[in-house]
Amino acid sequence: MADLRLVVVGAGGRMGRALIRAIEEADGVTLAGALERPGSPALGRDAGVLAGLPALGVPVLDDPQAAFEGADGVLDFTAPESSVLHAGLAADAGLFHVIGTTGLSAEDEAALAAAAERTVLVKSGNMSLGVNLLAALVKRAAATLGPDFDIEIVEMHHRMKVDAPSGTALLLGRAAAEGRGVDLDERAVRGRDGITGARHAGDIGFAALRGGTVVGDHDVIFAGTSERLVLGHKAEDRMIFARGALRAAQWARGKAPGLYSMADVLGLKDF
Ligand SMILES: NC(=O)C1=CN([C@@H]2O[C@H](COP(=O)(O)OP(=O)(O)OC[C@H]3O[C@@H](n4cnc5c(N)ncnc54)[C@H](OP(=O)(O)O)[C@@H]3O)[C@@H](O)[C@H]2O)C=CC1
Ligand SMILES: O=C(O)C1=N[C@H](C(=O)O)C[C@H](O)C1
C-alpha cells in the first residue's frame, strides 16, 4: 500500500513539530505538506529543520489549497478557529482530518460535526493510548462506585497552555458522567472561589494548575466516606500524542465520513 501523505497544520507549534518528528520515525506515512498562519516566522522554512531534523524538502506554506495538493489527510493541533477553518477546507478537498485541538466552544463543535458529514474526522482531547484507556476505566469506576463517591478531576499543564480545563480533563469528566448516566454539562463545576457553600451531591469538579514545562498530568479522584480511589495519567513526552494521531490517521484511511474519537480508533467503545 502507498504511504499515507499527511499535512501538518500548525507545523511550527509544540505539537506540530512533534508530529513532523513522529511522521519521520514511522513507516507508511510521509510528510506531504506543512502549514502555518499568514505572517508566521516559520513560513518558507523547511519543515524538517523546523522540527530539529535534517531538511525534508517540504517548505512551510500559508496556503491550505497548495499544501493539501496530493495529500490524503490533515493533522491539526492548533487553535479552535484554525481547526474549524481547516475542517471545512479538508472536507472540500476530500481529505480526512485528525484534530487534537482543545478549548473548542459548542459552536466550534457544531461546525466540526457539519464538516464530518462530508469527510472522516477523528477528534480527541487526548490522542494517547494511556489516557483513552484511563477514560474507559473512569467510566467503569463511576458506574461501580455510584453517587456516594464525589468525583474531582485535577490537571496540571505547562505555563504556555491557553485553555482550561484541559481537553483531557473534560474527556475524563464526560467518561465519569457517562458511567453515572448523567449529563456533564449539568453537573460540571469548573473552578471554585470564595464562600462556595458545601459541595452538591453529584457535582463533577475540575481544578486546573499551570506551571513550568509539565506536559500533562491528570488525576480523577473518587472521594467516598473514609476511602479515596485515584486514577491518573502522567504524560512525559508530546510524542505520545503525535504517535496517537498517526494511529488515528492510519485508521481513518478508507472509513466512511463521520465524526470519530480515539475510542473508535483504539477499539475502546465497548470496554
Ligand atoms: N489532543 C491531544 O492529544 C493534544 C492536544 N493538544 C492541543 O493542541 C493544540 C496546540 O497545542 P500546542 O502545539 O502546545 O500549541 P502551540 O501554540 O505550540 O501550537 C499551535 C500552532 O498552531 C498555529 N496556528 C494557529 N492558528 C493557525 C492557522 N489559522 N493556520 C495555521 N497554523 C495556525 C500556531 O501559530 P501561531 O503561534 O502563529 O499562533 C502554532 O504554531 C492545543 O489546543 C492543545 O491543547 C496538545 C497536545 C496533545
Ligand atoms: O496543551 C497541551 O499541552 C495539552 N493539551 C491537551 C489537553 O488539553 O488535554 C492534551 C495534553 O494534556 C496536552
Side-chain angles (χ1 to χ4, degrees):
M1 201 184 291
D3 269 15
L4 261 189
R5 293 176 55 76
L6 301 173
V7 177
V8 174
V9 189
R14 282 175 287 274
M15 276 307 299
R17 286 176 277 134
L19 288 162
I20 292 166
R21 289 196 292 276
I23 291 170
E24 280 313 294
E25 75 175 24
D27 292 328
V29 289
T30 298
L31 183 70
L35 269 174
E36 264 296 341
R37 66 161 99 239
S40 164
L43 293 180
R45 291 190 62 195
D46 184 275
V49 174
L50 197 59
L53 301 171
L56 297 172
V58 178
V60 179
L61 307 177
D62 62 2
D63 176 359
Q65 270 159 345
F68 287 2
E69 186 73 40
D72 299 301
V74 179
L75 307 179
D76 178 342
F77 289 63
T78 55
E81 65 281 10
S82 162
S83 293
V84 168
L85 169 74
H86 291 100
L89 296 172
D92 291 345
L95 309 187
F96 65 75
H97 195 181
V98 176
I99 298 180
T101 305
T102 59
L104 299 161
S105 66
E107 292 73 26
D108 297 329
E109 300 273 10
L112 297 183
E117 290 174 12
R118 300 188 289 129
T119 193
V120 180
L121 199 155
V122 185
K123 179 174 74 65
S124 177
N126 194 304
M127 298 270 172
S128 74
L129 175 61
V131 157
N132 284 281
L133 178 59
L134 173 63
L137 297 172
V138 163
K139 181 176 166 185
R140 179 63 187 272
T144 303
L145 296 172
D148 288 346
F149 280 73
D150 299 326
I151 301 176
E152 294 284 316
I153 300 175
V154 183
E155 53 109 334
M156 181 161 187
H157 283 85
H158 54 94
R159 60 170 75 95
M160 301 305 289
K161 184 160 179 64
V162 297
D163 56 307
S166 69
T168 310
L170 293 170
L171 179 159
L172 295 170
R174 268 192 299 280
E178 243 181 81
R180 274 192 172 171
V182 299
D183 182 350
L184 180 64
D185 291 339
E186 290 172 10
R187 304 299 172 119
V189 177
R190 295 169 61 145
R192 299 183 180 94
D193 186 26
I195 309 294
T196 60
R199 192 182 198 282
H200 294 121
D203 283 352
I204 297 178
F206 292 85
L209 314 181
R210 295 289 174 264
T213 55
V214 178
V215 174
D217 290 355
H218 293 87
D219 278 334
V220 182
I221 303 164
F222 293 87
T225 303
S226 310
E227 62 178 328
R228 248 173 307 152
L229 174 67
V230 183
L231 300 178
H233 179 268
K234 289 187 176 14
E236 296 173 356
D237 190 323
R238 288 185 178 82
M239 290 300 278
I240 64 170
F241 312 126
R243 293 190 191 110
L246 288 192
R247 193 158 168 177
Q250 277 152 337
W251 178 90
R253 189 202 294 246
K255 289 285 181 306
L259 183 55
Y260 301 97
S261 69
M262 280 306 279
D264 294 304
V265 173
L266 299 170
L268 289 168
K269 272 283 202 226
D270 302 317
F271 183 86

